Amino acid sequence: MPDEKPVLRTLLTRRERGIHEFFFSDPERADWETWHRIAHPKSRRGFLTGLSAMTGALGVHIAFSELMPRGLIPAVYANASEPFEIEGKDGLVLLNDRPLNAETMPHLLNDNVTPTNRLFIRNNGLPPAETNPSSWTLTIGGESVGATRRYTLPELKQKFEHVSRQITLECGGNGRAEFDPPVSGNQWTLGAVGCPVWDGMRLRDLLLDIGKRDNAVFLAYHAKDRHASGDPTREPISRGVHISKAMDPDSMLVWGMNGADMHPMNGHPLRLVFGGQPGSTSGKWLTGLALRDRLHDGPKMAPPAYHVPCEPVAPGSQVAYEDMCMLDSMPVKSLITSPASGMQHESKQRLPIHGHAWAGAQGVNSVQLSIDYGTTWLDTELQPPVNRFAWQHFDYSVSFPKSGYYEVWARAIDSDGDSQPMLVPGWNPKGYGNNACHRIAVYAV
Ligand SMILES: Nc1nc2c(c(=O)[nH]1)N[C@H]1C(S)=C(S)[C@@H](COP(=O)(O)O)O[C@H]1N2
Ligand SMILES: [Mo]
């Protein structure tokens, strides 16, 4: 039962496209893979459809089945895969090995402070071969500074005030795997997010020190990673933020994580971290900053990268680049990190649920849970953030009325009153900003 699902998971995560393509382009095969190879590996029965068949395949009664939306892919099959090994990381799921992209299963993100070995990896190119902190330099130029300046990393550490902050980092494409019709790109499910403590300094202090001119509108980054093609003249990615975000006192230049060095794949020895923005703004392996008097024009700045349709479009639409707007703040979102999806639970006892919630530039006001497919909602206990842009933690002990298959759904509501949608929100060509409710499966026995 719960531990016989890796076949489908492997199929899904090694694919270029998401779970919906699998289920809708070839529903019969999807059914077969789901209900035979995984749920009943030795069974030779015909194709299964409908709820009673699903109940049979899961081997337990689906509680509240009358409330379960038709065509819903059970949470127990929706998000997981096998871990792989990378030195200094623990249990991450590989999405791509060149460039390296790997995400973290929700139940491995249960710590309130994400350990270094559990932070996801999102590389657009090949990491630098040489990353010696004592000889690392940062050059700051651009149209909006008087003279180009250069600091070594030891000079930065020595000259500026040190700060440590917990800041949530989430890839703009987190959740992409759930868009329907599927979109290309890394098929992130839920785990391209984390919230470690970042050790470094305020970016603002540096920008004031070098004499930022008033006409600066954008701060761009340059980095030492190499383009996947091997062409040394091409940068894999060079993005940044608007000047107001660069000057925010919580925007950071970072040289460490959780009191030690950053992992080599997370930008060691120097990176940027901008809370509430798509992760792509937080340049890793940072070697250069440019204060621009115009919008930056580096690789992955132009649409369709990190852009969504300015006006909502029908799923699957072709959207002209001039009709796309840059992704800005990340939406409100939450993650159930304990228990792991698919676990068995003694139904006579209450089940403690723990998780995190975050909301781009906003705070999170409340997090609610549902065990009946969104029909009723329960308020959880929610902690305030340790500092601005840190995720918040929620707790609640759920009781189940009878044994069976359940889904626990979580929905966060931000300080603007915006809540997470239960279904995948506005389709867009590159699959950004999916903040649909997280669902976990629980077998109450
Ligand atoms: N130099 C450089 N910076 C980068 C990237 C990259 O490929 N190269 N990826 C970006 C993207 S898209 C994201 S989501 C975050 C991921 O940070 P992480 O790998 O430390 O989790 O880094 C950003 N900064
Ligand atoms: Mo990203």
Side-chain angles (χ1 to χ4, degrees), residues 89 99-102 119-126 128 169-174 188 192-194 198 221-226 236-239 257 262-263 265-267 270-272 277-286 300 306:
K89 292 288 177 185
L100 184 64
N101 284 277
L119 185 67
F120 74 100
I121 300 167
R122 196 292 184 242
N123 290 348
N124 287 266
L126 309 174
L169 179 74
E170 182 179 19
C171 181
N174 196 21
W188 305 109
V193 64
W198 304 99
Y221 68 73
H222 297 285
K224 206 179 173 186
D225 48 343
R226 298 154 297 154
I237 184 169
S238 169
R239 305 193 71 238
M257 191 190 290
M262 282 188 281
H263 188 276
M265 294 297 155
N266 297 125
L270 188 65
R271 76 173 299 169
L272 293 164
Q277 294 273 312
S280 55
T281 60
S282 296
K284 306 193 280 188
W285 309 295
L286 187 71
K300 307 234 168 166
Y306 305 107

